[in-house]
Amino acid sequence: MGGARSSEQFVQSPNSTFFTEEELNKLKSEYKTGGLEKITPLLQKKVKELDSTEVNIAVTGESGAGKSTFINAMRELQDGDEGAAKTGTTETTMEPTGFPHPTLPNVCFWDLPGIGTKQFPANKYLREMKFKTYDFFIIISYCRFTENDLKLAKEIKRLGKNFYFVRSKIDGDLDSMKKQRKEFNEEEELEKIRNDCVSKLLEAGIPSPNVFLISSFDLNLYDFNLLNEALEDNLPDIKKSVFILALPNLNEEIVEKKRKELRKRVWMLATLSGVVGAVPVPGISLACDIAILVGGIIHFRKCLGLDDASIQRLANKAEKPVGVLKAVVKTPLVGEVTPDLITRGAWGVAVVTISALEIALDIIPVIGSIFGAGSSFLMTYKILSGALDELTENAQRVVKAAFGTDDHPSDTIPPTDHPS
């Protein structure tokens, strides 16, 4: 078949970041010596790793700093929602409490008790919080970073973990300043607050501190995007991907990031489909292809926030009727995903018209000569790619309807290869 390649012609690309160079080399050598039987378990193991990788985020600071409110905001929940962290002006957390992401439970935010309270004096706190459990720490303060915050930061650094200073409730500070001053420049005031925090942290011996100013009631404002970028940059590839997929859909940029991460999965799912497709057992190829397609589309939909529960949470956050958000969704892929939906109509036409030339080989990290009869690989790759683009375009429209952003999804999302 067209598109067959020798086992020497493996390609590594940005889409292969889930694999280390060592793992890619192993895929090459295993296929060279043992063919499909050898590489199939390696690919299955990697897909399973993607689905099971955990990200544990510790949110700490003194009582009343806004830890629980921040955790709820990151999970698109509001105070009083089912599963929301309990908020209050007094210490409400008596022990480390995990709050899984509502749709991606492998991502868990941990609300740690406030340091320096009677229940948790600083020396006891450092012993009992099991710091090694967490991937990174967010230290939240609503006014100034205290001596206890600095002790925390130094202990976290000693353990080799990353930490980030977040100055919360910044919207309240700015509102107060506006009322007290005749002349007010928001950008200048934000810079003053940031510089003041940084200078005090430097004086206390924290090298090169970064301080992020946020409002948990409006994460689209201030430094929230900068905070996310810092968190992403310091996570290993798989954890970084999992973290990005769990971000709240606050703007179209975040949705686009999710599309790029999900694109990296497409070729792996297509590869598994192609491996099965090369097995000469009547009927097994179609059955497995459909299962992979259905599972992939449902996963994409969930990560992009197009399930009913996610749209409802976004509507609550944006204070918009849920019907307004659902009205802009123009794809049958948000309903029940069945084999019939995938194979009928335009989807069926897409399947029979696929050729190897439709996929640029430089974006497929590992295919070798595996798919000499590669119809299963090409079919699955084509359909999942199209479904991902269609779902992303709809997720962009939902975000725009929720927050009234000015960007146009059509400017950033490639057109789908089939009608909605």
Side-chain angles (χ1 to χ4, degrees):
M1 278 268 201
R5 306 173 74 202
S6 78
S7 59
E8 299 299 323
Q9 292 176 293
F10 288 79
V11 179
Q12 183 172 357
S13 80
N15 280 340
S16 66
T17 54
F18 293 144
F19 288 87
T20 64
E21 185 175 352
E22 181 182 353
E23 287 172 329
L24 286 171
N25 288 334
K26 186 173 183 181
L27 278 172
K28 296 179 192 179
S29 62
E30 292 291 286
Y31 177 71
K32 193 171 183 179
T33 59
L36 295 173
E37 288 187 12
K38 281 286 192 74
I39 71 161
T40 302
L42 297 176
L43 292 171
Q44 290 172 331
K45 180 181 177 183
K46 181 58 67 172
V47 172
K48 185 177 180 180
E49 185 182 349
L50 282 168
D51 292 335
S52 62
T53 294
E54 294 183 355
V55 177
N56 290 292
I57 302 162
V59 182
T60 184
E62 294 199 324
S63 60
K67 302 186 302 292
S68 297
T69 303
F70 175 78
I71 288 172
N72 289 338
M74 290 293 288
R75 297 161 66 235
E76 292 185 288
L77 295 176
Q78 296 176 306
D79 192 20
D81 287 349
E82 183 179 354
K86 185 178 178 181
T87 61
T89 56
T90 59
E91 180 59 45
T92 57
T93 306
M94 294 296 104
E95 61 183 16
T97 305
F99 293 93
H101 189 277
T103 54
L104 296 173
N106 288 347
V107 177
C108 189
F109 294 86
W110 290 85
D111 190 354
L112 304 190
I115 186 173
T117 62
K118 290 182 180 179
Q119 293 90 348
F120 292 99
N123 57 347
K124 183 180 178 182
Y125 190 94
L126 297 177
R127 290 197 307 269
E128 294 191 6
M129 291 303 107
K130 299 179 180 178
F131 277 11
K132 292 183 180 179
T133 304
Y134 312 110
D135 291 291
F136 57 82
F137 292 75
I138 295 174
I139 302 173
I140 294 185
S141 172
Y142 69 94
C143 182
R144 61 184 180 83
F145 295 102
T146 67
E147 182 179 347
N148 285 330
D149 294 327
L150 301 176
K151 286 180 180 178
L152 272 177
K154 290 175 181 178
E155 179 66 10
I156 294 165
K157 183 180 179 182
R158 187 185 69 79
L159 293 172
K161 300 282 187 175
N162 289 319
F163 58 90
Y164 306 87
F165 290 104
V166 169
R167 173 72 159 73
S168 66
K169 306 182 184 181
I170 205 70
D171 50 337
D173 291 335
L174 294 176
D175 286 342
S176 177
M177 291 177 190
K178 288 177 185 177
K179 293 174 182 177
Q180 296 176 31
R181 301 178 187 178
K182 292 182 179 179
E183 294 185 5
F184 176 81
N185 183 299
E186 182 172 293
E187 288 301 317
E188 289 181 2
E189 296 302 330
L190 287 171
E191 193 63 20
K192 287 178 184 177
I193 295 171
R194 188 181 293 107
N195 289 340
D196 181 62
C197 291
V198 169
S199 64
K200 286 182 169 57
L201 290 169
L202 286 170
E203 290 172 9
I206 303 297
S208 305
N210 285 319
V211 177
F212 300 93
L213 313 181
I214 71 163
S215 163
S216 292
F217 294 108
D218 196 339
L219 294 180
N220 264 321
L221 298 178
Y222 317 121
D223 293 344
F224 181 71
N225 285 334
L226 294 175
L227 173 63
N228 281 334
E229 290 171 7
L231 301 179
E232 295 163 19
D233 288 344
N234 288 301
L235 285 170
D237 287 326
I238 291 182
K239 285 182 179 282
K240 174 180 178 178
S241 180
V242 172
F243 174 76
I244 289 173
L245 294 176
L247 288 173
N249 280 6
L250 299 171
N251 52 59
E252 293 166 90
E253 180 185 355
I254 289 176
V255 176
E256 177 63 14
K257 281 186 179 182
K258 292 184 178 184
R259 184 185 73 86
K260 290 177 180 177
E261 293 305 316
L262 292 169
R263 178 77 71 195
K264 299 173 186 176
R265 288 191 177 217
V266 169
W267 76 266
M268 282 195 292
L269 294 175
T271 301
L272 288 175
S273 173
V275 168
V276 175
V279 178
V281 178
I284 191 172
S285 174
L286 178 61
C288 188
D289 286 348
I290 292 296
I292 289 174
L293 288 168
V294 171
I297 290 169
I298 290 174
H299 181 69
F300 296 166
R301 184 175 70 193
K302 179 173 66 174
C303 293
L304 290 166
L306 288 173
D307 57 288
D308 285 344
S310 294
I311 293 177
Q312 182 65 63
R313 288 194 298 271
L314 186 62
N316 293 343
K317 178 69 176 175
E319 299 182 342
K320 296 283 180 68
V322 69
V324 170
L325 273 56
K326 287 189 172 183
V328 301
V329 178
K330 308 293 184 183
T331 172
L333 295 176
V334 296
E336 183 182 3
V337 183
T338 63
D340 182 58
L341 174 65
I342 293 171
T343 56
R344 75 171 185 259
W347 292 94
V349 172
V351 170
V352 299
T353 58
I354 291 169
S355 72
L357 295 178
E358 293 180 0
I359 300 178
L361 295 180
D362 64 350
I363 66 168
I364 303 171
V366 181
I367 58 173
S369 62
I370 297 170
F371 306 110
S375 60
S376 292
F377 172 86
L378 295 170
M379 178 197 310
T380 306
Y381 189 95
K382 178 71 172 180
I383 292 177
L384 285 180
S385 294
L388 176 58
D389 287 339
E390 184 170 319
L391 288 168
T392 302
E393 185 176 345
N394 280 270
Q396 297 274 23
R397 286 201 292 264
V398 169
V399 170
K400 187 176 180 182
F403 298 113
T405 52
D406 295 327
D407 296 333
H408 297 284
S410 58
D411 292 340
T412 55
I413 305 300
T416 55
D417 296 302
H418 49 79
S420 298

